[in-house]
Amino acid sequence: MIKKISPSIMCADYMDLRKHIDIFTNCGVEYIHVDVMDGSFVPNYTLGTDFVKALKKNSKIPLDIHLMINNPENKLDWFEFGEGDYVSVHYESTKHLQKATAMIKERRAKPMVAINPATPIIMLENVLDDIDGVLVMTVNPGFAGQKLVKSTLKKIEVLREYLDKNGYEHIEIEVDGNVSFENATLMSTAGANIFVAGTSSVFEKSNSLEDNIKKFRSVI
Ligand code: DX5
Ligand code: ZN
């Protein structure tokens, strides 16, 4: 599968957003990862509805909206998204997961289900016909700058194998959390093909965003 980069804009310097988006465009990143947090599903707030609207208005890059919010099925219409965008909802955030994924599809976006490190892959079994991607959280969601939960590397491998063996070769695997240059290589080998790049890679401070994106492309 084609390897794709999705920089986590929550990790950007908010005073330089327009510059960052121009660099994303010039470097041809495939998505912009937008972390939305409600302070209840995760103990943090980050980017919201107006931010997503502004991004849609000012950038042509497809969005990869990561909803870390409870009961997302009741809130999808708060957000602007459509054709070509990924919208991920957490398995752990709703009793109505299939309803949430169907609603995303009705709105012409691509449904993705996110699973926390402790959530077993098998919990996805009955929504695989309804989704285009699985977001394997490689840290516990809520904050940037955390350390990799090591067991998730094996989880990526087992998931890729499970999907390929059961006729779901088309379902993409995205990884999110401490996707450093080193970890990205391991995750890519394990079977991930979309990489949320944050503070430990494209936004790490010792090199420019442009150079870091180029380096990231070379390691996946
Ligand atoms: C964490 C978010 C991630 C985060 C990644 O809950 O979902 O997208 O921004 O940050 P790093 O790459 O620093 O772990
Ligand atoms: Zn995220």
CSV table of all heavy atoms in Angstrom, one decimal, residues 66-121:
chain,number,residue,atom,x,y,z
A,66,HIS,N,-9.5,13.4,13.6
A,66,HIS,CA,-9.4,12.4,14.7
A,66,HIS,C,-10.3,12.8,15.8
A,66,HIS,O,-9.9,13.7,16.6
A,66,HIS,CB,-8.0,12.2,15.1
A,66,HIS,CG,-7.8,11.3,16.2
A,66,HIS,ND1,-6.6,11.1,16.9
A,66,HIS,CD2,-8.6,10.3,16.8
A,66,HIS,CE1,-6.7,10.2,17.8
A,66,HIS,NE2,-7.9,9.7,17.8
A,67,LEU,N,-11.5,12.3,15.9
A,67,LEU,CA,-12.5,12.7,16.9
A,67,LEU,C,-12.3,11.9,18.2
A,67,LEU,O,-12.6,10.8,18.3
A,67,LEU,CB,-13.9,12.5,16.4
A,67,LEU,CG,-14.3,13.3,15.2
A,67,LEU,CD1,-15.7,13.0,14.7
A,67,LEU,CD2,-14.2,14.8,15.5
A,68,MET,N,-11.7,12.6,19.2
A,68,MET,CA,-11.6,12.0,20.5
A,68,MET,C,-12.6,12.7,21.4
A,68,MET,O,-12.4,13.5,22.3
A,68,MET,CB,-10.2,12.3,21.1
A,68,MET,CG,-9.1,11.5,20.4
A,68,MET,SD,-7.4,12.1,20.7
A,68,MET,CE,-7.3,13.3,19.3
A,69,ILE,N,-13.9,12.3,21.0
A,69,ILE,CA,-15.1,12.9,21.7
A,69,ILE,C,-16.1,11.8,22.0
A,69,ILE,O,-16.2,10.9,21.2
A,69,ILE,CB,-15.7,14.0,20.8
A,69,ILE,CG1,-16.3,13.5,19.5
A,69,ILE,CG2,-14.7,15.1,20.5
A,69,ILE,CD1,-17.0,14.5,18.6
A,70,ASN,N,-16.8,12.0,23.1
A,70,ASN,CA,-17.9,11.0,23.4
A,70,ASN,C,-19.1,11.2,22.4
A,70,ASN,O,-19.4,12.3,22.0
A,70,ASN,CB,-18.3,11.2,24.8
A,70,ASN,CG,-17.3,10.5,25.8
A,70,ASN,OD1,-16.9,9.4,25.5
A,70,ASN,ND2,-17.0,11.2,26.9
A,71,ASN,N,-19.7,10.1,22.1
A,71,ASN,CA,-20.9,10.1,21.3
A,71,ASN,C,-20.8,10.9,20.0
A,71,ASN,O,-21.6,11.8,19.7
A,71,ASN,CB,-22.1,10.6,22.1
A,71,ASN,CG,-22.2,9.8,23.4
A,71,ASN,OD1,-22.1,8.6,23.4
A,71,ASN,ND2,-22.4,10.5,24.5
A,72,PRO,N,-19.8,10.6,19.2
A,72,PRO,CA,-19.5,11.4,18.0
A,72,PRO,C,-20.7,11.4,17.0
A,72,PRO,O,-20.9,12.3,16.3
A,72,PRO,CB,-18.3,10.7,17.4
A,72,PRO,CG,-18.3,9.3,18.0
A,72,PRO,CD,-18.8,9.4,19.3
A,73,GLU,N,-21.5,10.3,17.1
A,73,GLU,CA,-22.7,10.2,16.2
A,73,GLU,C,-23.7,11.4,16.3
A,73,GLU,O,-24.4,11.7,15.4
A,73,GLU,CB,-23.4,8.9,16.3
A,73,GLU,CG,-24.1,8.6,17.6
A,73,GLU,CD,-23.2,8.2,18.8
A,73,GLU,OE1,-22.0,8.1,18.6
A,73,GLU,OE2,-23.8,7.8,19.8
A,74,ASN,N,-23.6,12.0,17.5
A,74,ASN,CA,-24.5,13.2,17.7
A,74,ASN,C,-23.9,14.5,17.4
A,74,ASN,O,-24.5,15.5,17.5
A,74,ASN,CB,-24.9,13.2,19.2
A,74,ASN,CG,-25.6,11.9,19.7
A,74,ASN,OD1,-26.2,11.2,18.9
A,74,ASN,ND2,-25.4,11.6,21.0
A,75,LYS,N,-22.6,14.4,16.9
A,75,LYS,CA,-21.9,15.7,16.8
A,75,LYS,C,-21.2,15.9,15.4
A,75,LYS,O,-20.6,16.8,15.1
A,75,LYS,CB,-20.8,15.8,17.8
A,75,LYS,CG,-21.4,15.7,19.2
A,75,LYS,CD,-20.3,15.5,20.3
A,75,LYS,CE,-21.0,15.2,21.7
A,75,LYS,NZ,-20.0,14.8,22.7
A,76,LEU,N,-21.4,14.9,14.5
A,76,LEU,CA,-20.7,14.9,13.2
A,76,LEU,C,-21.1,16.2,12.4
A,76,LEU,O,-20.3,16.8,11.7
A,76,LEU,CB,-21.1,13.7,12.4
A,76,LEU,CG,-20.5,12.4,12.9
A,76,LEU,CD1,-21.0,11.2,12.1
A,76,LEU,CD2,-19.0,12.4,12.9
A,77,ASP,N,-22.4,16.6,12.5
A,77,ASP,CA,-22.8,17.8,11.7
A,77,ASP,C,-22.2,19.1,12.3
A,77,ASP,O,-22.4,20.1,11.7
A,77,ASP,CB,-24.3,17.8,11.7
A,77,ASP,CG,-24.9,16.7,10.8
A,77,ASP,OD1,-24.1,16.3,9.9
A,77,ASP,OD2,-26.0,16.3,10.9
A,78,TRP,N,-21.5,19.0,13.4
A,78,TRP,CA,-20.9,20.2,13.9
A,78,TRP,C,-19.6,20.6,13.0
A,78,TRP,O,-19.1,21.7,13.1
A,78,TRP,CB,-20.4,20.1,15.3
A,78,TRP,CG,-21.5,19.8,16.3
A,78,TRP,CD1,-22.8,19.7,16.1
A,78,TRP,CD2,-21.3,19.6,17.8
A,78,TRP,NE1,-23.5,19.4,17.3
A,78,TRP,CE2,-22.5,19.4,18.3
A,78,TRP,CE3,-20.1,19.6,18.6
A,78,TRP,CZ2,-22.7,19.1,19.7
A,78,TRP,CZ3,-20.3,19.3,19.9
A,78,TRP,CH2,-21.6,19.1,20.5
A,79,PHE,N,-19.2,19.5,12.3
A,79,PHE,CA,-17.9,19.7,11.6
A,79,PHE,C,-18.1,19.7,10.1
A,79,PHE,O,-19.0,19.1,9.5
A,79,PHE,CB,-17.0,18.5,11.9
A,79,PHE,CG,-16.6,18.4,13.4
A,79,PHE,CD1,-17.4,17.7,14.3
A,79,PHE,CD2,-15.5,19.1,13.9
A,79,PHE,CE1,-17.1,17.7,15.6
A,79,PHE,CE2,-15.2,19.1,15.2
A,79,PHE,CZ,-16.0,18.3,16.1
A,80,GLU,N,-17.2,20.5,9.4
A,80,GLU,CA,-17.2,20.5,8.0
A,80,GLU,C,-16.2,19.5,7.4
A,80,GLU,O,-15.0,19.5,7.7
A,80,GLU,CB,-16.7,21.9,7.5
A,80,GLU,CG,-17.5,22.4,6.3
A,80,GLU,CD,-17.2,23.9,6.1
A,80,GLU,OE1,-17.7,24.7,6.9
A,80,GLU,OE2,-16.5,24.2,5.2
A,81,PHE,N,-16.8,18.5,6.7
A,81,PHE,CA,-15.9,17.5,6.0
A,81,PHE,C,-16.6,16.9,4.9
A,81,PHE,O,-17.9,17.1,4.7
A,81,PHE,CB,-15.4,16.5,7.0
A,81,PHE,CG,-16.5,15.7,7.7
A,81,PHE,CD1,-17.1,14.6,7.0
A,81,PHE,CD2,-16.9,15.9,9.0
A,81,PHE,CE1,-18.1,13.9,7.6
A,81,PHE,CE2,-17.9,15.2,9.6
A,81,PHE,CZ,-18.5,14.2,8.9
A,82,GLY,N,-15.9,16.2,4.0
A,82,GLY,CA,-16.6,15.7,2.8
A,82,GLY,C,-15.7,14.7,2.0
A,82,GLY,O,-14.8,14.1,2.6
A,83,GLU,N,-15.9,14.7,0.8
A,83,GLU,CA,-15.2,13.7,-0.1
A,83,GLU,C,-13.7,13.8,0.1
A,83,GLU,O,-13.1,14.9,0.2
A,83,GLU,CB,-15.5,14.2,-1.6
A,83,GLU,CG,-15.2,13.2,-2.7
A,83,GLU,CD,-16.5,12.5,-3.1
A,83,GLU,OE1,-17.5,13.1,-3.1
A,83,GLU,OE2,-16.3,11.3,-3.5
A,84,GLY,N,-13.1,12.6,0.3
A,84,GLY,CA,-11.6,12.6,0.4
A,84,GLY,C,-11.1,12.7,1.8
A,84,GLY,O,-9.9,12.4,2.1
A,85,ASP,N,-11.9,13.2,2.7
A,85,ASP,CA,-11.5,13.4,4.1
A,85,ASP,C,-11.7,12.1,4.8
A,85,ASP,O,-12.7,11.3,4.6
A,85,ASP,CB,-12.3,14.5,4.8
A,85,ASP,CG,-12.1,15.9,4.2
A,85,ASP,OD1,-11.0,16.1,3.7
A,85,ASP,OD2,-13.1,16.7,4.2
A,86,TYR,N,-10.8,11.8,5.8
A,86,TYR,CA,-11.0,10.7,6.7
A,86,TYR,C,-11.6,11.3,8.0
A,86,TYR,O,-11.2,12.4,8.4
A,86,TYR,CB,-9.6,10.0,7.1
A,86,TYR,CG,-9.3,8.7,6.4
A,86,TYR,CD1,-8.2,8.5,5.6
A,86,TYR,CD2,-10.2,7.6,6.5
A,86,TYR,CE1,-7.9,7.3,5.0
A,86,TYR,CE2,-9.9,6.4,5.9
A,86,TYR,CZ,-8.8,6.3,5.2
A,86,TYR,OH,-8.5,5.1,4.5
A,87,VAL,N,-12.5,10.6,8.6
A,87,VAL,CA,-13.1,11.0,9.9
A,87,VAL,C,-13.0,9.7,10.8
A,87,VAL,O,-13.6,8.7,10.4
A,87,VAL,CB,-14.5,11.5,9.8
A,87,VAL,CG1,-15.0,11.8,11.2
A,87,VAL,CG2,-14.6,12.7,8.9
A,88,SER,N,-12.2,9.8,11.8
A,88,SER,CA,-12.1,8.7,12.7
A,88,SER,C,-12.8,8.9,14.0
A,88,SER,O,-12.7,10.0,14.6
A,88,SER,CB,-10.6,8.3,13.0
A,88,SER,OG,-10.0,9.4,13.6
A,89,VAL,N,-13.6,7.8,14.4
A,89,VAL,CA,-14.3,7.8,15.7
A,89,VAL,C,-13.7,6.7,16.5
A,89,VAL,O,-13.3,5.7,16.0
A,89,VAL,CB,-15.8,7.7,15.5
A,89,VAL,CG1,-16.4,8.9,14.9
A,89,VAL,CG2,-16.1,6.4,14.8
A,90,HIS,N,-13.6,6.9,17.8
A,90,HIS,CA,-13.1,5.9,18.7
A,90,HIS,C,-14.1,4.8,19.0
A,90,HIS,O,-15.2,5.1,19.4
A,90,HIS,CB,-12.6,6.5,20.0
A,90,HIS,CG,-11.1,6.9,20.0
A,90,HIS,ND1,-10.1,6.1,20.4
A,90,HIS,CD2,-10.5,8.0,19.4
A,90,HIS,CE1,-8.9,6.7,20.2
A,90,HIS,NE2,-9.1,7.9,19.6
A,91,TYR,N,-13.6,3.6,18.9
A,91,TYR,CA,-14.5,2.4,19.3
A,91,TYR,C,-15.0,2.7,20.8
A,91,TYR,O,-16.1,2.4,21.1
A,91,TYR,CB,-13.6,1.1,19.3
A,91,TYR,CG,-14.3,0.0,20.0
A,91,TYR,CD1,-15.3,-0.7,19.4
A,91,TYR,CD2,-13.9,-0.3,21.3
A,91,TYR,CE1,-15.9,-1.8,20.1
A,91,TYR,CE2,-14.5,-1.3,22.0
A,91,TYR,CZ,-15.5,-2.0,21.5
A,91,TYR,OH,-16.1,-3.0,22.2
A,92,GLU,N,-14.1,3.2,21.6
A,92,GLU,CA,-14.4,3.3,23.0
A,92,GLU,C,-15.3,4.5,23.3
A,92,GLU,O,-15.7,4.7,24.5
A,92,GLU,CB,-13.1,3.5,23.8
A,92,GLU,CG,-12.0,2.5,23.6
A,92,GLU,CD,-11.1,2.8,22.4
A,92,GLU,OE1,-11.4,3.8,21.7
A,92,GLU,OE2,-10.2,2.0,22.1
A,93,SER,N,-15.7,5.3,22.3
A,93,SER,CA,-16.4,6.6,22.6
A,93,SER,C,-17.9,6.5,22.3
A,93,SER,O,-18.6,7.5,22.5
A,93,SER,CB,-15.8,7.7,21.7
A,93,SER,OG,-16.1,7.4,20.3
A,94,THR,N,-18.4,5.3,21.9
A,94,THR,CA,-19.8,5.3,21.6
A,94,THR,C,-20.4,3.9,21.7
A,94,THR,O,-19.7,2.9,21.5
A,94,THR,CB,-20.1,5.8,20.1
A,94,THR,OG1,-21.5,5.6,19.8
A,94,THR,CG2,-19.2,5.0,19.1
A,95,LYS,N,-21.7,3.8,22.0
A,95,LYS,CA,-22.4,2.5,22.0
A,95,LYS,C,-22.9,2.2,20.5
A,95,LYS,O,-23.5,1.2,20.3
A,95,LYS,CB,-23.6,2.5,22.9
A,95,LYS,CG,-23.2,2.6,24.4
A,95,LYS,CD,-24.4,2.5,25.3
A,95,LYS,CE,-24.0,2.6,26.8
A,95,LYS,NZ,-23.5,4.0,27.0
A,96,HIS,N,-22.8,3.2,19.7
A,96,HIS,CA,-23.4,3.1,18.3
A,96,HIS,C,-22.3,3.3,17.2
A,96,HIS,O,-22.4,4.2,16.4
A,96,HIS,CB,-24.5,4.2,18.2
A,96,HIS,CG,-25.5,4.1,19.3
A,96,HIS,ND1,-26.4,3.1,19.5
A,96,HIS,CD2,-25.7,4.9,20.4
A,96,HIS,CE1,-27.1,3.3,20.6
A,96,HIS,NE2,-26.7,4.4,21.2
A,97,LEU,N,-21.3,2.4,17.3
A,97,LEU,CA,-20.2,2.6,16.4
A,97,LEU,C,-20.6,2.5,14.9
A,97,LEU,O,-20.2,3.3,14.1
A,97,LEU,CB,-19.1,1.6,16.7
A,97,LEU,CG,-17.8,1.7,15.9
A,97,LEU,CD1,-17.1,3.1,16.3
A,97,LEU,CD2,-16.8,0.6,16.2
A,98,GLN,N,-21.4,1.5,14.6
A,98,GLN,CA,-21.7,1.2,13.2
A,98,GLN,C,-22.6,2.4,12.7
A,98,GLN,O,-22.4,2.9,11.6
A,98,GLN,CB,-22.5,-0.1,13.1
A,98,GLN,CG,-22.6,-0.6,11.6
A,98,GLN,CD,-23.6,0.1,10.8
A,98,GLN,OE1,-24.6,0.6,11.3
A,98,GLN,NE2,-23.4,0.1,9.5
A,99,LYS,N,-23.4,2.9,13.6
A,99,LYS,CA,-24.2,4.1,13.2
A,99,LYS,C,-23.3,5.3,12.9
A,99,LYS,O,-23.5,6.0,11.8
A,99,LYS,CB,-25.2,4.5,14.3
A,99,LYS,CG,-26.1,5.6,14.1
A,99,LYS,CD,-27.0,5.9,15.3
A,99,LYS,CE,-27.8,7.2,15.1
A,99,LYS,NZ,-28.6,7.5,16.3
A,100,ALA,N,-22.3,5.5,13.7
A,100,ALA,CA,-21.4,6.6,13.5
A,100,ALA,C,-20.6,6.4,12.2
A,100,ALA,O,-20.5,7.4,11.4
A,100,ALA,CB,-20.4,6.7,14.6
A,101,THR,N,-20.2,5.2,11.9
A,101,THR,CA,-19.4,5.0,10.6
A,101,THR,C,-20.3,5.2,9.4
A,101,THR,O,-19.9,5.8,8.4
A,101,THR,CB,-18.7,3.6,10.6
A,101,THR,OG1,-19.8,2.6,10.8
A,101,THR,CG2,-17.7,3.5,11.7
A,102,ALA,N,-21.6,4.7,9.5
A,102,ALA,CA,-22.5,4.9,8.4
A,102,ALA,C,-22.8,6.3,8.2
A,102,ALA,O,-22.9,6.8,7.0
A,102,ALA,CB,-23.8,4.1,8.7
A,103,MET,N,-22.9,7.1,9.2
A,103,MET,CA,-23.2,8.6,9.1
A,103,MET,C,-22.1,9.3,8.4
A,103,MET,O,-22.3,10.2,7.6
A,103,MET,CB,-23.5,9.2,10.5
A,103,MET,CG,-24.8,8.8,11.1
A,103,MET,SD,-25.0,9.4,12.8
A,103,MET,CE,-25.3,11.1,12.4
A,104,ILE,N,-20.8,8.9,8.7
A,104,ILE,CA,-19.7,9.5,8.0
A,104,ILE,C,-19.7,9.2,6.5
A,104,ILE,O,-19.5,10.1,5.7
A,104,ILE,CB,-18.3,9.0,8.7
A,104,ILE,CG1,-18.2,9.5,10.1
A,104,ILE,CG2,-17.1,9.4,7.9
A,104,ILE,CD1,-17.2,8.7,11.0
A,105,LYS,N,-20.0,8.0,6.2
A,105,LYS,CA,-20.1,7.5,4.8
A,105,LYS,C,-21.2,8.3,4.1
A,105,LYS,O,-21.0,8.8,3.0
A,105,LYS,CB,-20.4,6.0,4.7
A,105,LYS,CG,-20.1,5.4,3.4
A,105,LYS,CD,-20.2,3.9,3.3
A,105,LYS,CE,-18.9,3.2,3.7
A,105,LYS,NZ,-19.1,1.7,3.6
A,106,GLU,N,-22.4,8.5,4.8
A,106,GLU,CA,-23.5,9.3,4.2
A,106,GLU,C,-23.0,10.7,3.8
A,106,GLU,O,-23.5,11.3,2.9
A,106,GLU,CB,-24.6,9.4,5.2
A,106,GLU,CG,-25.6,8.2,5.2
A,106,GLU,CD,-26.3,8.1,6.5
A,106,GLU,OE1,-26.6,9.2,7.2
A,106,GLU,OE2,-26.7,7.0,7.0
A,107,ARG,N,-22.1,11.2,4.6
A,107,ARG,CA,-21.6,12.5,4.4
A,107,ARG,C,-20.4,12.5,3.4
A,107,ARG,O,-19.6,13.5,3.4
A,107,ARG,CB,-21.2,13.2,5.7
A,107,ARG,CG,-22.5,13.6,6.5
A,107,ARG,CD,-22.3,13.6,8.0
A,107,ARG,NE,-23.5,14.0,8.7
A,107,ARG,CZ,-24.5,13.1,8.9
A,107,ARG,NH1,-24.4,11.9,8.4
A,107,ARG,NH2,-25.6,13.5,9.5
A,108,ARG,N,-20.2,11.4,2.7
A,108,ARG,CA,-19.2,11.3,1.6
A,108,ARG,C,-17.8,11.3,2.1
A,108,ARG,O,-16.9,11.3,1.3
A,108,ARG,CB,-19.4,12.3,0.5
A,108,ARG,CG,-20.8,12.3,-0.2
A,108,ARG,CD,-20.9,13.3,-1.3
A,108,ARG,NE,-20.1,14.5,-1.1
A,108,ARG,CZ,-20.5,15.5,-0.3
A,108,ARG,NH1,-21.6,15.4,0.5
A,108,ARG,NH2,-19.7,16.6,-0.1
A,109,ALA,N,-17.5,11.2,3.4
A,109,ALA,CA,-16.1,11.1,3.8
A,109,ALA,C,-15.8,9.6,4.1
A,109,ALA,O,-16.7,8.7,3.9
A,109,ALA,CB,-16.0,11.9,5.1
A,110,LYS,N,-14.6,9.3,4.4
A,110,LYS,CA,-14.1,7.9,4.6
A,110,LYS,C,-14.1,7.6,6.1
A,110,LYS,O,-13.4,8.3,6.9
A,110,LYS,CB,-12.7,7.7,4.0
A,110,LYS,CG,-12.7,8.0,2.5
A,110,LYS,CD,-11.4,7.6,1.9
A,110,LYS,CE,-10.3,8.5,2.2
A,110,LYS,NZ,-9.0,8.2,1.5
A,111,PRO,N,-14.9,6.6,6.5
A,111,PRO,CA,-15.0,6.3,8.0
A,111,PRO,C,-13.7,5.5,8.4
A,111,PRO,O,-13.3,4.6,7.7
A,111,PRO,CB,-16.2,5.4,8.1
A,111,PRO,CG,-16.8,5.3,6.8
A,111,PRO,CD,-15.9,5.8,5.7
A,112,MET,N,-13.2,5.9,9.6
A,112,MET,CA,-12.1,5.2,10.2
A,112,MET,C,-12.4,4.9,11.6
A,112,MET,O,-13.1,5.8,12.3
A,112,MET,CB,-10.8,6.0,10.0
A,112,MET,CG,-9.6,5.4,10.6
A,112,MET,SD,-8.1,6.5,10.4
A,112,MET,CE,-7.5,5.9,8.8
A,113,VAL,N,-12.1,3.8,12.2
A,113,VAL,CA,-12.3,3.5,13.6
A,113,VAL,C,-10.9,3.5,14.3
A,113,VAL,O,-10.0,2.9,13.9
A,113,VAL,CB,-13.0,2.2,13.9
A,113,VAL,CG1,-13.1,1.9,15.4
A,113,VAL,CG2,-14.4,2.2,13.3
A,114,ALA,N,-10.9,4.3,15.4
A,114,ALA,CA,-9.6,4.4,16.2
A,114,ALA,C,-9.8,3.4,17.4
A,114,ALA,O,-10.9,3.3,18.0
A,114,ALA,CB,-9.4,5.8,16.7
A,115,ILE,N,-8.7,2.7,17.7
A,115,ILE,CA,-8.7,1.9,18.9
A,115,ILE,C,-7.5,2.2,19.8
A,115,ILE,O,-6.4,2.3,19.3
A,115,ILE,CB,-8.7,0.3,18.5
A,115,ILE,CG1,-7.6,0.0,17.5
A,115,ILE,CG2,-10.0,-0.1,18.0
A,115,ILE,CD1,-7.4,-1.5,17.2
A,116,ASN,N,-7.8,2.3,21.1
A,116,ASN,CA,-6.8,2.6,22.1
A,116,ASN,C,-5.8,1.4,22.2
A,116,ASN,O,-6.2,0.3,21.8
A,116,ASN,CB,-7.4,3.0,23.4
A,116,ASN,CG,-8.0,4.4,23.3
A,116,ASN,OD1,-7.7,5.2,22.5
A,116,ASN,ND2,-8.9,4.7,24.3
A,117,PRO,N,-4.7,1.6,22.8
A,117,PRO,CA,-3.7,0.5,23.0
A,117,PRO,C,-4.3,-0.7,23.6
A,117,PRO,O,-4.0,-1.9,23.2
A,117,PRO,CB,-2.6,1.1,23.8
A,117,PRO,CG,-2.6,2.6,23.5
A,117,PRO,CD,-4.1,2.9,23.3
A,118,ALA,N,-5.2,-0.6,24.6
A,118,ALA,CA,-5.7,-1.8,25.3
A,118,ALA,C,-6.9,-2.4,24.6
A,118,ALA,O,-7.4,-3.5,25.0
A,118,ALA,CB,-6.1,-1.5,26.7
A,119,THR,N,-7.4,-1.8,23.5
A,119,THR,CA,-8.6,-2.3,22.8
A,119,THR,C,-8.2,-3.4,21.8
A,119,THR,O,-7.5,-3.1,20.9
A,119,THR,CB,-9.4,-1.2,22.2
A,119,THR,OG1,-9.7,-0.2,23.1
A,119,THR,CG2,-10.6,-1.7,21.5
A,120,PRO,N,-8.8,-4.6,22.0
A,120,PRO,CA,-8.4,-5.7,21.1
A,120,PRO,C,-8.9,-5.5,19.7
A,120,PRO,O,-10.0,-5.0,19.5
A,120,PRO,CB,-9.1,-7.0,21.7
A,120,PRO,CG,-9.5,-6.6,23.0
A,120,PRO,CD,-9.7,-5.1,23.0
A,121,ILE,N,-8.2,-6.0,18.7
A,121,ILE,CA,-8.5,-5.8,17.3
A,121,ILE,C,-9.9,-6.5,17.0
A,121,ILE,O,-10.7,-5.9,16.2
A,121,ILE,CB,-7.4,-6.6,16.4
A,121,ILE,CG1,-6.1,-5.8,16.5
A,121,ILE,CG2,-7.9,-6.7,15.0
A,121,ILE,CD1,-4.9,-6.6,16.1
